[in-house]
Amino acid sequence: MSDFHPLLSAAEAAGGAVPIRFVGPKDALDEAVRGWAELNGFEGKAGQLLVAPGGEGIAAVLAGTGDRFDPLAARGLSARLPGGLYRLELEPEAAGRAALAFLLGAYVFDRYKARPDKTPVRLVAPEGLDVAETTRIVAACALAREMVDTPAADMGPSQIETIAREIAESAGAAITVTEGEALLEANYPAVHAVGRAAAPHRAPRLIEIGWKLDQTDLPLVALVGKGVVFDTGGLDLKPAAGMRNMKKDMGGSAHALALGRLVMEADLPVRLVVIVAAVENAVSADAFRPGDILNSRKGLTIEIGNTDAEGRLILADALTRAGEHAPDLTLDFATLTGAARIALGPDLPPLYTDDEALAAGLLAAGTEVGDPLWRMPLWAGYRGALDTEIADLKNDSSAWAQAGSVTAALFLQRFAPTTGAWAHMDIFAWNPRARPGYPEGGEAQAIRACYALLKARYGG
């Protein structure tokens, strides 16, 4: 994956950076740029951007703030600026937040283009900024986005495994991979059932990374991710329009791996387990069927009402495995339901947890770092929608419940670890419309909020 780092220290930059000045409607401009601003109608309104020429290049960039400056708005700058090196003219606290936003906005996915769209945008680290920490966060978000953006032909179960192995090796962590028919021997029957129809070189697998597991005095955190590399819907085949972006259905695995790498690189004082179920929900003579009864690692049987509700099946086995480690905290990430988007749209992922302290912590962290979540209820009145006459539960909830994201979360709750707190995030992992700083394509959601929560909860 990409190793481009758009943040340079002041020493690395060695001068020559173009200043970005944030200007409100009432702020005075110096004489060098005042005339140019007046000529171009720049008034400091929110969203205005003006490149002021000087000498043989750019003298300064003026960024309008409106009446109230929001550092997070700096995310929209990178895509609008010419390639080159820039520095932010802001007070240290605001500069740090704006720098992170600016760098998140600098992400570009051009792997399949003959030549890059433009020279990359780079930023000189503001004074006092923790360059290593900021770089880790930006790189983690870029990893998740790049994995989601990569077409399914090049991001199958084996490629996810390769990325997981590279992360584990870099951190000195252990990794185990259970693949193909070995999933049945190891008691991951739901993972096997969902992925068995894929071609042999895209066989299903359960990937598990373990870090610091011998340091039993540390709390254990489990991160679980849904890794459906492509979702045809199975025998309940999706229409063409519904299948178009299903390369992103492994977004949960990308988020779990990216957050796991971030935790290990930051050396947070925790033990860590990252569990990813990587499968392709394909169509073949061996595909699992509507009406089948699947076993699960937990021992609960699941009646299949719809083969397109496969993500919760592989998460059932993965969450059960996480519970065997007796974690203090479990966070799972999954592009699980279209109902979540109907409820909250693409930008606001639903958060499900029955732990009040964890809910408050995640919501506060999301607000603080500009990575929002919205708590949704694990409404007990809808549990009956998962009942069935011939198995312990079914994977498609009864139509009377209607709330598809809620019932999917209730399904997962049946398999979630019980030794500590658990939270499920039904992420979209995608920007459906292009705008500055938010290109259409893969998006990192909840990674920064969860990382901030982990630092606040466990220190480091």
Side-chain angles (χ1 to χ4, degrees):
M1 308 307 285
S2 174
D3 59 356
F4 172 62
H5 298 293
L7 182 64
L8 302 180
S9 67
E12 291 173 318
V18 175
I20 300 177
R21 298 170 185 165
F22 295 86
V23 181
K26 298 179 181 179
D27 294 337
L29 294 172
D30 60 59
E31 186 176 350
V33 296
R34 187 186 309 127
W36 183 251
E38 292 175 353
L39 182 64
N40 287 275
F42 180 85
E43 299 174 346
K45 296 178 181 178
Q48 281 191 311
L49 187 72
L50 181 64
V51 176
E56 297 181 359
I58 302 173
V61 172
L62 306 182
T65 66
D67 294 326
R68 179 180 174 275
F69 174 56
D70 178 8
L72 297 178
R75 177 162 174 168
L77 295 178
S78 311
R80 301 172 64 191
L81 292 171
L85 183 63
Y86 297 87
R87 59 181 172 83
L88 306 177
E89 292 194 347
L90 289 167
E91 294 299 318
E93 182 176 354
R97 292 170 60 85
L100 178 59
F102 183 95
L103 295 168
L104 290 172
Y107 170 82
V108 175
F109 184 72
D110 56 10
R111 173 178 173 182
Y112 295 93
K113 291 195 173 186
R115 61 179 65 86
D117 288 334
K118 69 175 186 179
T119 304
V121 169
R122 295 176 183 262
L123 186 69
V124 178
E127 183 178 352
L129 182 73
D130 188 333
V131 174
E133 174 77 341
T134 302
T135 299
R136 284 193 293 264
I137 294 171
V138 172
C141 293
L143 171 64
R145 295 167 77 180
E146 191 170 356
M147 288 180 70
V148 171
D149 275 329
T150 302
D154 295 328
M155 187 55 64
S158 64
Q159 284 83 8
I160 291 179
E161 176 186 335
T162 296
I163 291 168
R165 289 189 180 280
E166 291 172 350
I167 290 171
E169 181 179 351
S170 178
I175 183 170
T176 58
V177 178
T178 307
E179 178 183 344
E181 295 304 305
L183 288 164
L184 294 176
E185 300 171 14
N187 194 25
Y188 294 107
V191 177
H192 177 270
V194 173
R196 72 190 186 204
H201 70 283
R202 296 172 71 84
R205 62 205 71 197
L206 194 289
I207 302 164
E208 181 173 324
I209 296 172
W211 181 66
K212 291 187 178 180
L213 295 187
D214 58 336
Q215 300 184 30
T216 54
D217 56 322
L218 297 176
L220 191 143
V221 173
L223 306 178
V224 178
K226 169 190 169 185
V228 178
V229 298
F230 193 80
D231 183 15
T232 64
L235 293 177
D236 287 306
L237 196 68
K238 291 180 182 289
M243 210 183 297
R244 175 62 181 85
N245 286 331
M246 282 300 99
K247 68 176 184 178
K248 78 176 189 65
D249 212 19
M250 39 61 65
S253 66
H255 281 61
L257 288 169
L259 179 58
R261 188 179 77 172
L262 183 53
V263 168
M264 290 186 283
E265 287 180 342
D267 198 23
L268 294 191
V270 298
R271 291 176 290 154
L272 182 69
V273 171
V274 182
I275 299 173
V276 166
V279 305
E280 179 164 25
N281 189 19
V283 179
S284 79
D286 198 27
F288 74 117
R289 310 163 189 84
D292 282 356
I293 307 292
L294 302 187
N295 291 318
S296 69
R297 186 175 183 85
K298 191 170 184 176
L300 297 175
T301 55
I302 306 168
E303 182 181 9
I304 303 304
N306 191 318
T307 61
D308 197 18
E310 83 298 331
R312 66 201 69 184
L313 299 173
I314 65 174
L315 286 173
D317 279 359
L319 285 168
T320 300
R321 173 56 184 157
E324 293 165 8
H325 290 279
D328 178 70
L329 172 65
T330 302
L331 303 173
D332 83 63
F333 306 85
T335 52
L336 203 62
T337 68
R341 256 47 66 193
I342 294 172
L344 297 175
D347 297 344
L348 193 57
L351 161 68
Y352 292 92
T353 181
D354 56 5
D355 187 289
E356 297 300 322
L358 177 58
L362 279 169
L363 294 176
T367 299
E368 172 63 23
V369 301
D371 191 15
L373 296 161
W374 192 269
R375 191 181 185 188
M376 295 278 278
L378 288 160
W379 186 249
Y382 296 155
R383 285 178 183 151
L386 299 173
D387 291 344
T388 176
E389 294 293 329
I390 60 173
D392 293 315
L393 72 168
K394 59 184 178 181
N395 77 325
D396 64 329
S397 56
S398 297
W400 62 260
Q402 300 184 58
S405 180
V406 176
T407 54
L410 288 169
F411 181 98
L412 296 183
Q413 190 180 33
R414 296 284 296 272
F415 300 89
T418 58
T419 56
W422 161 72
H424 159 60
M425 280 144 285
D426 192 343
I427 61 173
F428 193 43
W430 192 260
N431 287 316
R433 65 183 179 103
R435 58 203 192 277
Y438 299 83
E440 181 179 353
E443 183 56 273
Q445 296 179 316
I447 289 176
R448 292 182 293 114
C450 289
Y451 180 58
L453 178 281
L454 293 174
K455 290 200 297 181
R457 188 176 179 120
Y458 299 114

